[in-house]
Amino acid sequence: MKGSADAEVTVRSRTLTRAQFGMTAPSVIVETHLLGGLPSTTVVGMPEVAVREARDRVRSALANCGFDYPDGRVVVNLAPVDLAKEGARFDLAIAVSILRASGQLQQPGDAPDYELLGELGLTGALRAVRGCLCAGLQVPAARRLVVPAENAAEAAFGEGRLIPLAHLKDVVRLLSGQHPDNLRAHSRGTEAPSAEPAPRVIGQAQAKRALALAATGGHHLLMIGPPGTGKSLLARHLPRLLPELNDQEAMEIAAVYSAAGMSLVEGVRRPIRSPHHTVSATAMAGGGSHPRPGEISLAHEGVLFLDELPHFKPSVLDALREPLETREVSVARSAGTARFPARFLLLAAMNPCPAGFVCREGSCRCRPDQRRRYQARVSGPLLDRIDLHIPVEEVPKALLLGEAQEADPAAFSPSRVQAARRLALERQGKCNAHLDGIELERQVPLDGAARRVLRRASERYGLSARAIHRVMRVARTVADLESSVRVAQPHLTEALSYRAYDWSGDSTGGEAVSRG
């Protein structure tokens, strides 16, 4: 018996890969142990169904690539064992680990260390997996991460750490010290993706002014008006007022979309997400047993447009509260807490009444109590976190028919907006909407007259402490858009006018504070 045990051949191998949990990619070690006995393959280390099925995919891929699958019992361990493993992302690492254990793959001693990520087809072709960029950004500088060629767009953001390959044979050549035929460098293009022509918005000077302020200072905006007044058309304009992405912002957006398993083949631009009002709270905020980003995080560094705001479920709207303040989404699960970035600009639109008629005095069929119940579907705490409340009235027929001229079209100019935004970034390193505490007091000093105006308005409109601070931030943005160094009383008065909408339901329009 002892001699038989000594004659048994035992070979072990160690291959590195990465799991996926939210935006993080924990390191996983794939160990293979070849034992004697009846042929069988066992995958251990808390694998889910797709991971256990890897044994059949790997066996077929190795056979179709001309490699031998080991006889006897094969034990594959995915460590650490307390980390749940899901998906087919471990296929490539398991295949390479078996090749190393069986002696069919010898890596030169001076070769760089690689981590492997990818799903295997039965022919050995590599298929895309989600989270390649998230994994690549966490790989140590001394290593490289091999990913499927279908994830090559993410490799362009990986700072040279990602190597996209198309087939298992290419991976074997790379690990053997050879140069695969299709190995090439990937770089991110400098040209911005082409965009559709900008729609023309006629009239709506007040709404355009509010859009310019929102884009300049990063302020959240709510438009209230009857259907057909151009609210959705205005929403399509907002991303065009925002500046181009810098490298850090583009990488963060690419990482979020990588974690969500969404393609980047069309390049990276500031996103605009417009989920339907039937969206679930999980789809909005993100989550699941293996947390993925939701619509809030997919709008990172872009715009989240919610049309027909009162028709969203209360749980969905409540999910917006914390990200609007913290600019981050936290999803707690038993395995840990996943955090997703959420620096987005909220743009919402709603009708002033449930009927959706052109709500002017004498023409709306809704009773005041019906309007109050309809508007109450949007909670006060959420409204308090939205900086700008804008009534959008019907466009005058003279403007529609070309019988009148629009006033100050340059006020809606992207160049003017972006110049004001750069002014704020150079002064304080962040958008005005993100000013807080001592920074807000330093950037928005108020004289005695301005403080009296703010005190009277806060008592008249019942402004909370949060709302008062948001008014001050908007006032700073108004001053920047007017190229003013200091915040004057007219700037503060205009900022207060965006908090003057009448939410009582007894009237159909919004009253405004005088801007004089």
Side-chain angles (χ1 to χ4, degrees):
M1 293 294 293
K2 182 177 180 181
S4 175
D6 291 340
E8 180 180 332
V9 178
T10 301
V11 183
R12 298 178 179 85
S13 73
R14 182 175 179 273
T15 303
L16 301 177
T17 183
R18 293 203 173 251
Q20 184 76 26
F21 185 79
M23 297 284 292
T24 63
S27 180
V28 173
I29 301 173
V30 181
E31 300 172 320
T32 299
H33 194 181
L34 303 185
L35 301 168
L38 295 176
S40 67
T41 302
T42 304
V43 181
V44 297
M46 206 184 293
E48 295 190 354
V49 175
V51 183
R52 290 197 298 269
E53 292 174 345
R55 58 194 177 191
D56 299 315
R57 292 191 296 271
V58 169
R59 181 188 293 271
S60 297
L62 291 179
N64 288 322
C65 291
F67 299 106
D68 296 326
Y69 197 84
D71 294 329
R73 187 180 177 192
V74 179
V75 177
V76 178
N77 179 45
L78 306 178
V81 296
D82 59 348
L83 175 66
K85 320 300 189 304
E86 58 94 17
R89 58 193 302 112
F90 305 104
D91 288 4
L92 178 60
I94 291 174
V96 170
S97 181
I98 291 175
L99 288 176
R100 285 172 170 169
S102 60
Q104 299 179 76
L105 174 58
Q106 300 292 334
Q107 186 170 345
D110 58 347
D113 202 1
Y114 295 97
E115 297 187 11
L116 310 173
L117 203 62
E119 175 185 346
L120 275 178
L122 299 185
T123 62
L126 294 182
R127 293 173 179 166
V129 295
R130 73 181 184 97
C132 286
L133 180 56
C134 299
L137 295 177
Q138 297 186 31
V139 169
R143 298 178 188 158
R144 295 294 181 266
L145 178 68
V146 176
V147 299
E150 294 179 5
N151 294 107
E154 299 175 39
F157 294 89
E159 299 177 344
R161 299 184 184 182
L162 276 69
I163 301 176
L165 295 174
H167 203 275
L168 175 60
K169 292 181 179 179
D170 298 325
V171 178
V172 172
R173 293 191 191 99
L174 177 67
L175 298 180
S176 301
Q178 304 174 30
H179 195 280
D181 297 335
N182 59 349
L183 179 62
R184 63 183 185 277
H186 292 263
S187 60
R188 179 163 59 94
T190 56
E191 295 184 2
S194 59
E196 60 183 16
R200 183 188 176 195
V201 180
I202 300 175
Q204 302 298 2
Q206 184 182 15
K208 289 179 178 179
R209 172 73 170 181
L211 280 179
L213 291 172
T216 300
H219 303 288
H220 307 302
L221 170 63
L222 171 62
M223 298 181 288
I224 310 105
T229 54
K231 299 189 296 296
S232 299
L233 200 62
L234 286 163
R236 292 170 56 190
H237 258 289
L238 184 54
R240 294 179 171 85
L241 297 178
L242 298 173
E244 293 185 3
L245 294 167
N246 58 40
D247 291 342
Q248 179 63 30
E249 292 170 340
M251 180 178 293
E252 290 178 3
I253 294 173
V256 170
Y257 277 71
S258 175
M262 301 177 69
S263 174
L264 294 171
V265 294
E266 296 181 357
V268 177
R269 62 163 68 100
R270 289 195 184 273
I272 176 168
R273 305 292 299 184
S274 52
H276 193 261
H277 65 263
T278 57
V279 65
S280 67
T282 301
M284 177 66 78
S289 56
H290 299 282
R292 296 194 183 197
E295 293 290 338
I296 293 175
S297 295
L298 292 175
H300 180 61
E301 297 294 356
V303 177
L304 178 63
F305 177 48
L306 302 184
D307 202 4
E308 305 295 346
L309 187 66
H311 291 281
F312 284 81
K313 298 175 185 177
S315 59
V316 173
L317 297 182
D318 289 341
L320 289 167
R321 294 189 192 179
E322 183 180 356
L324 287 175
E325 291 287 338
T326 63
R327 299 183 292 279
E328 183 182 66
V329 174
S330 298
V331 180
R333 293 292 180 267
S334 58
T337 300
R339 302 185 184 278
F340 302 105
R343 290 194 305 272
F344 65 97
L345 200 160
L346 176 63
L347 177 59
M350 60 179 286
N351 297 328
C353 68
F357 275 27
V358 180
C359 295
R360 292 174 299 181
E361 191 67 31
S363 67
C364 181
R365 70 184 186 185
C366 300
R367 300 188 308 274
D369 63 305
Q370 290 178 311
R371 289 195 292 270
R372 281 195 296 270
R373 285 197 299 269
Y374 179 75
Q375 294 176 359
R377 298 178 67 174
V378 183
S379 66
L382 178 59
L383 288 174
D384 206 33
R385 288 167 166 82
I386 300 178
D387 303 26
L388 309 170
H389 306 165
I390 297 298
V392 182
E393 306 294 344
E394 185 180 8
V395 180
K397 298 299 186 293
L399 280 178
L400 286 174
L401 299 176
E403 299 173 355
Q405 294 287 335
E406 294 191 62
D408 192 16
F412 202 44
S413 167
S415 59
R416 180 177 176 181
V417 169
Q418 293 169 20
R421 187 180 176 107
R422 283 194 301 271
L423 179 65
L425 293 176
E426 292 171 359
R427 180 181 61 241
Q428 63 218 13
K430 60 177 68 174
C431 292
N432 293 327
H434 301 161
L435 290 174
D436 203 359
I438 298 177
E439 290 178 323
L440 184 61
E441 296 179 0
R442 183 186 304 116
Q443 300 299 336
V444 192
L446 300 178
D447 56 22
R451 291 182 183 277
R452 287 192 294 272
V453 169
L454 186 57
R455 184 183 303 109
R456 288 197 301 269
S458 65
E459 294 172 354
R460 180 178 181 183
Y461 299 112
L463 301 181
S464 66
R466 177 191 291 115
I468 291 175
H469 286 166
R470 290 185 178 274
V471 166
M472 294 172 64
R473 296 182 188 117
V474 173
R476 177 67 266 178
T477 301
V478 174
D480 288 341
L481 203 56
E482 299 297 331
S483 301
S484 175
V485 176
R486 60 181 293 270
V487 178
Q489 184 173 332
H491 304 143
L492 181 62
T493 304
E494 180 178 349
L496 285 167
S497 72
Y498 299 118
R499 283 280 178 167
Y501 188 83
D502 182 9
W503 292 102
S504 67
D506 296 327
S507 61
T508 58
E511 62 174 312
V513 178
S514 170
R515 296 185 186 178

